[in-house]
Amino acid sequence: MPHAVSPSPDAEAPTNVGDSYMSDAPAAPLESEEAASETDDLPTPQNATPGASKNLEDMFDDDSDDDEFSSSAATRPDASSQPEPRSAPSKPRYAEPDTLRQFYSRIFPFRPLFQWLNHSPTPQPDFQNREFAFVLPGGAYIRYQSFASADLFRKQCIQMTPERFEIGPQYSINPRDRKTLRKASAFRPVMKELVFDIDMTDYDPIRTCCSGAAICSKCWQFITMAIQVVDAALREDFGFQHILWVYSGRRGAHAWISDKRAREMDDTKRKALANYLVLVSGNEQGKKTGIKRPLHPHIDRSLKILNPYFQTDVLADQDPWHSSEHAEKLLALLPDKTLATALQKKWDSSPNRSSNQKWSDIDTVAEAGNLSATFTAKQLVEAKQDIRLEYTYPRLDAEVSKKLNHLLKSPFVVHPGTGRVCVPIDTRSLEAFDPFSVPTVTQLLQEIDEWDKAHVGMSEEDRSKVQDWQRTSLKPYVEYFRGYVASLLKAESAGKRGREEEGGGETMEF
Amino acid sequence: MLAVTSAPRIASNKRTVVDARRQQFAKTRHAPEEYPHRLNFYLVPPAGDIALEQFEEWAIARLKVLGELESCQFRNKTPAETDEHMKPVLDKYMRLSSNASRSGEVQDERKRDHYSHWTLRLAFSSTPDLRQRFARLETQLLKLRMASDDARERRAFIDSLSMSWETLSEEEKITWLDQLKAATNLKRDEEESWFKVAWEKVPELVERRQCLLKRGVAYVHVREQQTMVINEFSRQLETGLELAARNLPRMDEDNRLSPILHHLSQSFVAPDAGYSESSSIGDITTPTAAAIDGLSQHFPLCMQNLHRELRKNSHLKHFGRLQYTLFLKGIGLSLQECILFWRKSFKLIADDKFKSDYLYNIRHAYGDVGGDSNRRGRGYTPYSCQKLLTEPAPSAGQTHGCPYRTYNPDNLLSLLQSVGVSDRTLLQGVKEDVGKQRYHIACNRVFDYAHKAQIKKVKDEGLWSASELDLVLHPNAYFKRSFLLKNLGKVKAGDLGVDGAFGVSSGGAGEKMEE
């Protein structure tokens, strides 16, 4: 079930197109053992085109575009009008190689992306030894691509028109040369941005509006809350400054932290940091790691951030305990049986109380003396805190953050299921971000045409001053990204100079 | 460096790197080493002369200690139990007296400790696997010894280390007092004293949210200092081992040491519950895909459970498939038969889908496809109990792992009952074991019960030695022993002899070869 068959943007998409990342596919034998569980039941990408799978290794070694197995659309432009019959009838327009080629050649901001990953204007190993993985139309998954410069990267994107590509770590040597090493262990990841993935599916146990791949503006609020909490912790607790939040194209958000200190973290530190942030896990509802008292300052701060959202977005909008079966969930979360029974009785006699009312009922009923003798008011306050956290605290897909060599979808690529561009989210106006107003690739191409029509009278010279992306609604996003990258490069070069001066000082002593 | 000159002594010293030339022509000085502290970070290699016998003897004694320590780990002993178990062992093989004891042996004991550590460091630096195990056990040993150290001497030892921590000033303390208390969960009777380090130095405290974080600086309570010291030790040992590994081939010696070192490292491998080829029953009979159903009665619960799930759903998820495939490979099922087995078992899945989604992984596990190292190593090694007990727990829908660990006790008991284990006292015992997290003691308990009669027979008739009946630490070993016990009559006892008699070829089939 390659993603190409998904008929329309809103249709239920196959799982492997989601906002997911691929952990190591069997191409890397040593790591495949630890591949995360999402590989379950998904076709491993190589195997999606059976003929290609065997030759895949060779395929990106010699870089040959052998017609025998490479998905023809990618390498021969003329074939694009006749995609594989299997996927042809329902293939959405934004997944067409032609659309993608236009997108990559005219709109995609390769230059800032390159600088962002390279941490310098001139190519250095940060970019050159970095792994990119391409997902080609047809489903083939090609790992260990690397590029000497932004231009070469762009060229290959235009030529192969990947549906999306993912960014991996910088390796100890150029990933394309990894087979030339005598010792496989000399090929190892050395640096990557710290990444986070927040996915709406982890919220399924607590959201009432949608489920699975679908989202609406109500449940997007969960992502907004999560971004605020995680962002605050990363900045205040860990002192990171260069944090880029990116809409994942459908139902979640990614974070990329580019601080040097973050990039150089090894797996132990990544795991520690991820677990520091994880409190509630997505799949086992109600099973939290016990929250200790007194609250850790991080949890305390998070609660302060989340409290207002709990009132408006959870109690009012989600109304998670409205029906009596849902209310049982709430009762199960209350540790005191006497209180739970009293509440049950009250709600049985007057059904249709809203979540907001039920939430305040807890206090009224408790005050009326329906508490066990051993259960103190303080415990009740704590139990209510726990419930608030359960319903608001970020649910991270922590596995993504824990491994240095994990690949994650690049910003600005097109989500193959929705056609939306994975744009950065400006945290200064986080509340204003609306995932449904994010432009789709087809819309962007249209906007260029419209702009051209509207500016027919403009002189050729003036026209060329306005680049294609500036003619579209992607403009603010690209500008935000450029500004972000500029500040990163500035900090990077300042840091470098500082270190050199320091080093110079040391040599003077000799 | 790490050079062993013609005299039987280790003259490996980091500092020689700096001015190797000068060192080479300098007269060797052997200032007698002083050991002011009971504990040792082993930063400086020994430089004195010792006899070859001592070299080996001391190392073997230390090895014994490490081996015992590891077995405590395998048996899931609690720290208190480990402590109790290790006390006599340490006293016997590696006594270390405190300064206060005024024993005349103090310096000798510490010298032995120092030298034996460095000998084993050489012996175990050769492969990443050995290095990792050695570092883990040495770290544990230090932890154990630190806990038993006199408080004042421990403080003196910690102060003697140069660690980069800074005590919190009074001012900072007052500003953040509430947060500090909350973050480090300060008890009423504990002193209000914290220190600052970069958070990267204390990842495990960060992970458990047991320190205060401010802009990348961790504020840690003094009680955590010990843990930090131990982590630092582990970190330095790991780098030291890697350094040793890189220089091992260049070791300058006259063929007296390498056999000893080789032997030492070999005997460290044995007690691990590694997979050995002798766990396959390929010599007795050739298992086929069709025979698995019949053989499954001999499977340990982890594999029986997978088998049942497979039969029930005609499907298994990735990690379950992997675990089961490797186990089947371990019992001697050939690749062809294994593919056949899965093909037939996944009866709801079309040929095309099977080929594209599952076949590759099976072949990969057997080393039939994949990268060079995978093929050369003939795929992955079947998982040991240790591996199953330490990997992340399965999430919803996944069935891999060790059921004794992953099932909640009630479900576990009903699972056991459904595979025919119904003795009440046995189940009670299993429940207790599981409660204490001694999962594979529980598994062994079930094994012993299920093979009561046969075990009695081989014991009474003296067919098997006691060592052939010790704890099972590998699913494949479980299977093999069960198979042999249940077929005692069919295979003549003479040919059997369990392990060994089958001509164990060196280097098990699945062992991944070091490159």
Side-chain angles (χ1 to χ4, degrees):
Chain A
M1 41 166 193
H3 16 34
V5 287
S6 99
S8 77
D10 301 310
E12 185 68 29
T15 24
N16 60 338
V17 234
D19 305 324
S20 68
Y21 41 80
M22 283 312 298
S23 48
D24 301 309
L30 288 172
E31 284 140 10
S32 58
E33 290 178 63
E34 41 193 53
S37 55
E38 63 272 23
T39 42
D40 275 335
D41 303 323
L42 310 183
T44 13
Q46 282 102 322
N47 299 346
T49 37
S53 64
K54 265 176 252 161
N55 297 320
L56 205 73
E57 290 279 310
D58 323 64
M59 182 169 168
F60 42 84
D61 260 344
D62 46 20
D63 244 348
S64 71
D65 295 316
D66 212 324
D67 289 352
E68 182 193 333
F69 48 75
S70 84
S71 150
S72 54
T75 48
R76 286 177 302 171
D78 55 327
S80 59
S81 51
Q82 305 153 341
E84 303 160 72
R86 170 167 73 116
S87 52
S90 52
K91 196 166 192 167
R93 263 205 63 205
Y94 41 75
E96 296 275 0
D98 238 11
T99 317
L100 287 170
R101 186 170 300 112
Q102 292 239 18
F103 174 68
Y104 286 123
S105 59
R106 305 182 71 174
I107 304 173
F108 194 94
F110 282 102
R111 188 79 202 157
L113 188 86
F114 155 79
Q115 290 182 334
W116 171 57
L117 297 172
N118 187 53
H119 315 115
S120 157
T122 46
Q124 57 179 7
D126 296 35
F127 181 82
Q128 293 175 320
N129 289 352
R130 196 185 274 268
E131 173 183 358
F132 292 89
F134 283 19
V135 181
L136 298 186
Y141 189 77
I142 310 185
R143 289 197 55 187
Y144 300 118
Q145 301 292 294
S146 65
F147 305 94
S149 70
D151 277 346
L152 290 170
F153 180 38
R154 178 170 176 268
K155 253 184 207 153
Q156 180 144 349
C157 283
I158 295 171
Q159 188 210 13
M160 294 174 98
T161 60
E163 281 187 346
R164 64 172 201 266
F165 57 83
E166 297 178 346
I167 298 173
Q170 173 198 343
Y171 280 92
S172 50
I173 57 149
N174 191 327
R176 289 187 194 260
D177 298 336
R178 71 193 188 287
K179 291 253 169 126
T180 60
L181 287 172
R182 195 172 305 160
K183 278 171 68 179
S185 57
F187 179 69
R188 55 171 203 284
V190 292
M191 180 281 284
K192 196 192 68 181
E193 287 74 12
L194 173 66
V195 292
F196 289 94
D197 181 10
I198 305 169
D199 197 305
M200 211 47 170
T201 36
D202 291 327
Y203 286 86
D204 278 355
I206 55 165
R207 59 175 176 159
T208 53
C209 48
C210 326
S211 69
I215 63 160
C216 66
S217 52
K218 273 187 196 170
C219 51
W220 179 256
Q221 280 305 111
F222 282 117
I223 303 289
T224 309
M225 296 182 226
I227 292 180
Q228 288 202 0
V229 168
V230 174
D231 199 72
L234 291 173
R235 285 179 203 277
E236 291 172 25
D237 295 354
F238 293 94
F240 296 138
Q241 288 165 0
H242 302 282
I243 305 169
L244 182 72
W245 287 95
V246 181
Y247 173 50
S248 69
R250 190 205 292 270
R251 53 176 169 176
H254 299 158
W256 296 79
I257 295 99
S258 292
D259 290 70
K260 195 168 176 56
R261 211 168 152 187
R263 297 194 320 252
E264 286 169 351
M265 278 157 54
D266 60 21
D267 283 355
T268 336
K269 292 179 191 122
R270 281 169 204 260
K271 181 166 148 275
L273 201 153
N275 286 337
Y276 178 82
L277 294 174
V278 168
L279 196 66
V280 191
S281 74
N283 40 13
E284 296 160 89
Q285 209 245 335
K287 208 180 170 191
K288 280 181 303 255
T289 40
I291 301 167
K292 272 184 259 136
R293 312 291 157 162
L295 284 180
H296 187 277
H298 159 64
I299 309 284
D300 196 42
R301 175 193 50 217
S302 304
L303 256 181
K304 285 196 185 102
I305 299 176
L306 293 169
N307 273 342
Y309 290 100
F310 182 72
Q311 287 300 333
T312 55
D313 295 305
V314 176
L315 289 185
D317 287 353
Q318 291 289 336
D319 202 1
W321 309 306
H322 186 79
S323 73
S324 61
E325 62 206 271
H326 283 145
E328 267 168 36
K329 260 192 209 168
L330 174 60
L331 293 173
L333 288 169
L334 289 170
D336 188 55
K337 285 279 158 298
T338 322
L339 178 63
T341 353
L343 283 169
Q344 179 82 64
K345 210 189 269 168
K346 182 179 170 100
W347 296 341
D348 280 346
S349 60
S350 56
N352 280 330
R353 285 178 77 77
S354 73
S355 296
N356 221 331
Q357 287 166 315
K358 283 180 177 166
W359 181 246
S360 43
D361 283 347
I362 296 179
D363 278 340
T364 18
V365 172
E367 271 163 32
N370 289 301
L371 280 182
S372 316
T374 48
F375 198 73
T376 62
K378 190 169 163 242
Q379 277 172 301
L380 181 63
V381 171
E382 288 176 3
K384 284 180 72 186
Q385 278 177 343
D386 284 359
I387 295 170
R388 277 205 295 264
L389 286 170
E390 167 100 26
Y391 278 84
T392 50
Y393 193 84
R395 299 177 171 222
L396 299 174
D397 186 348
E399 294 310 313
V400 183
S401 312
K402 288 179 184 171
K403 290 263 190 235
L404 185 55
N405 60 358
H406 221 121
L407 296 152
L408 190 66
K409 188 163 55 150
S410 164
F412 286 106
V413 300
V414 175
H415 189 289
T418 61
R420 294 196 196 281
V421 178
C422 303
V423 295
I425 302 171
D426 188 346
T427 42
R428 287 165 303 183
S429 48
L430 179 62
E431 301 280 350
F433 184 84
D434 172 14
F436 300 103
S437 69
V438 170
T440 63
V441 60
T442 33
Q443 184 189 334
L444 290 175
L445 294 175
Q446 224 168 6
E447 281 168 4
I448 297 184
D449 292 343
E450 279 161 18
W451 189 93
D452 288 348
K453 243 180 255 163
H455 296 77
V456 177
M458 213 165 168
S459 77
E460 201 53 41
E461 196 184 330
D462 286 345
R463 239 167 203 284
S464 62
K465 276 184 198 151
V466 186
Q467 285 174 315
D468 280 339
W469 61 267
Q470 288 170 315
R471 304 174 191 186
T472 68
S473 53
L474 201 63
K475 186 175 170 203
Y477 300 108
V478 175
E479 275 166 355
Y480 170 74
F481 185 57
R482 285 159 75 113
Y484 167 82
V485 172
S487 78
L488 171 66
L489 289 196
K490 203 170 152 200
E492 197 72 22
S493 65
K496 214 170 258 176
R497 227 180 359 260
R499 275 194 302 285
E500 272 159 20
E501 272 160 20
E502 231 169 68
E506 266 166 36
T507 42
M508 291 296 282
E509 284 170 25
F510 277 84
Chain B
M1 67 165 309
L2 290 176
V4 177
T5 53
S6 53
R9 66 186 150 77
I10 316 169
S12 44
N13 191 329
K14 244 177 157 178
R15 281 170 307 183
T16 51
V17 186
V18 185
D19 49 352
R21 210 175 309 151
R22 214 185 300 164
Q23 188 76 19
Q24 194 181 352
F25 300 111
K27 271 202 176 154
T28 36
R29 282 160 291 129
H30 309 303
E33 282 119 342
E34 290 281 339
Y35 302 100
H37 303 289
R38 177 172 173 262
L39 304 172
N40 195 335
F41 246 45
Y42 312 109
L43 293 179
V44 183
D49 289 334
I50 56 165
L52 200 57
E53 290 75 41
Q54 288 175 322
F55 180 81
E56 188 167 11
E57 227 170 77
W58 294 353
I60 289 175
R62 191 179 195 94
L63 197 57
K64 192 89 190 157
V65 170
L66 296 184
E68 286 293 329
L69 201 56
E70 188 167 50
S71 76
C72 286
Q73 234 173 31
F74 280 153
R75 281 153 216 214
N76 267 314
K77 294 205 171 182
T78 63
E81 285 169 332
T82 311
D83 207 27
E84 196 182 321
H85 180 91
M86 290 305 294
K87 211 168 163 42
V89 178
L90 280 168
D91 276 351
K92 183 169 176 207
Y93 294 103
M94 290 192 64
R95 177 190 283 282
L96 271 183
S97 311
S98 67
N99 288 343
S101 73
R102 296 180 189 281
S103 152
E105 299 271 289
V106 169
Q107 290 298 322
D108 278 350
E109 284 169 2
R110 292 179 187 176
K111 181 176 175 185
R112 219 170 303 162
D113 176 52
H114 185 202
Y115 280 61
S116 61
H117 170 89
W118 277 90
T119 313
L120 291 192
R121 196 187 270 217
L122 272 185
F124 298 141
S125 59
S126 52
T127 75
D129 229 28
L130 281 176
R131 286 201 291 272
Q132 201 203 338
R133 272 175 72 203
F134 180 67
R136 197 184 65 221
L137 292 174
E138 278 285 337
T139 309
Q140 271 210 316
L141 183 62
L142 182 78
K143 207 187 281 179
L144 206 65
R145 283 173 163 176
M146 207 165 198
S148 68
D149 210 0
D150 172 79
R152 193 142 31 95
E153 289 184 31
R154 181 170 57 212
R155 165 110 343 246
F157 170 69
I158 291 178
D159 288 342
S160 75
L161 304 166
S162 56
M163 308 268 286
S164 57
W165 47 43
E166 185 190 332
T167 319
L168 214 62
S169 70
E170 281 304 314
E171 242 171 84
E172 285 174 297
K173 213 187 282 178
I174 292 163
T175 330
W176 305 120
L177 194 60
D178 286 342
Q179 293 198 13
L180 282 167
K181 278 185 175 172
T184 53
N185 209 353
L186 196 73
K187 307 275 182 318
R188 198 156 291 171
D189 53 343
E190 284 178 306
E191 52 175 332
E192 294 185 352
S193 173
W194 290 268
F195 59 94
K196 294 194 280 190
V197 278
W199 79 265
E200 284 94 340
K201 290 260 182 195
V202 285
E204 66 298 325
L205 293 181
V206 172
E207 182 158 9
R208 285 177 282 140
R209 284 192 287 271
Q210 283 176 348
C211 58
L212 179 65
L213 284 179
K214 293 246 172 246
R215 306 215 150 260
V217 178
Y219 294 69
V220 182
H221 191 254
V222 279
R223 77 175 108 87
E224 309 291 351
Q225 249 177 351
Q226 265 190 57
T227 334
M228 290 180 58
V229 167
I230 284 164
N231 289 340
E232 182 64 17
F233 172 73
S234 160
R235 205 182 55 77
Q236 290 191 359
L237 182 55
E238 273 161 32
T239 30
L241 280 166
E242 248 164 62
L243 199 68
R246 250 179 284 151
N247 288 289
L248 203 58
R250 278 182 267 150
M251 188 167 78
D252 169 25
E253 69 110 16
D254 57 1
N255 292 334
R256 287 184 294 172
L257 292 186
S258 28
I260 296 178
L261 292 178
H262 182 72
H263 178 76
L264 285 173
S265 64
Q266 280 299 305
S267 51
F268 199 40
V269 176
D272 186 17
Y275 168 73
S276 76
E277 205 171 49
S278 58
S279 312
S280 116
I281 53 167
D283 320 57
I284 306 163
T285 156
T286 313
T288 60
I292 299 299
D293 277 322
L295 289 173
S296 71
Q297 54 162 319
H298 301 296
F299 291 0
L301 193 62
C302 48
M303 302 301 168
Q304 240 179 61
N305 183 34
L306 286 175
H307 191 77
R308 289 159 57 94
E309 290 291 328
L310 175 63
R311 286 288 173 256
K312 197 169 83 193
N313 305 327
S314 297
H315 188 260
L316 277 184
K317 292 207 167 195
H318 175 81
F319 286 106
R321 264 180 352 247
L322 187 60
Q323 177 181 330
Y324 200 33
T325 305
L326 293 176
F327 173 78
L328 293 176
K329 176 175 127 178
I331 72 172
L333 196 69
S334 69
L335 174 60
Q336 289 319 314
E337 287 294 326
C338 190
I339 292 172
L340 191 67
F341 170 75
W342 285 110
R343 180 66 287 246
K344 285 195 170 153
S345 304
F346 279 22
K347 55 180 179 243
L348 303 178
I349 283 167
D351 267 344
D352 272 358
K353 186 166 165 56
F354 182 81
K355 263 187 202 150
S356 69
D357 294 359
Y358 305 108
L359 187 59
Y360 186 90
N361 283 339
I362 301 169
R363 293 176 60 203
H364 199 264
Y366 271 78
D368 191 44
V369 288
D372 193 36
S373 65
N374 188 46
R375 287 152 168 271
R376 238 187 299 157
R378 283 183 271 168
Y380 314 163
T381 316
Y383 291 163
S384 67
C385 294
Q386 197 198 2
K387 161 90 181 159
L388 296 180
L389 289 174
T390 49
E391 68 186 358
S395 55
Q398 294 181 316
T399 43
H400 65 276
C402 172
Y404 293 100
R405 179 171 82 122
T406 56
Y407 275 55
N408 79 33
D410 293 337
N411 292 348
L412 174 66
L413 294 194
S414 51
L415 173 68
L416 279 169
Q417 278 162 342
S418 69
V419 297
V421 180
S422 50
D423 184 85
R424 184 165 291 202
T425 40
L426 174 74
L427 290 178
Q428 191 55 39
V430 166
K431 202 170 175 182
E432 272 169 31
D433 288 335
V434 171
K436 288 182 189 156
Q437 304 193 314
R438 297 196 295 204
Y439 306 114
H440 79 262
I441 300 290
C443 186
N444 274 280
R445 195 188 284 272
V446 170
F447 181 92
D448 289 345
Y449 176 80
H451 302 83
K452 216 165 27 185
Q454 292 86 348
I455 291 176
K456 188 167 183 318
K457 184 165 189 269
V458 291
K459 263 192 189 157
D460 289 352
E461 296 177 18
L463 297 175
W464 291 16
S465 71
S467 68
E468 285 157 353
L469 287 166
D470 62 358
L471 278 180
V472 175
L473 295 169
H474 199 293
N476 285 97
Y478 184 110
F479 166 75
K480 176 68 177 266
R481 198 180 293 174
S482 171
F483 183 80
L484 289 179
L485 284 171
K486 292 284 185 191
N487 290 296
L488 271 178
K490 292 178 199 156
V491 191
K492 266 187 217 138
D495 319 329
L496 262 179
V498 197
D499 307 316
F502 289 111
V504 186
S505 59
S506 55
E511 294 293 350
K512 248 187 205 135
M513 305 298 287
E514 249 323 286
E515 290 183 56

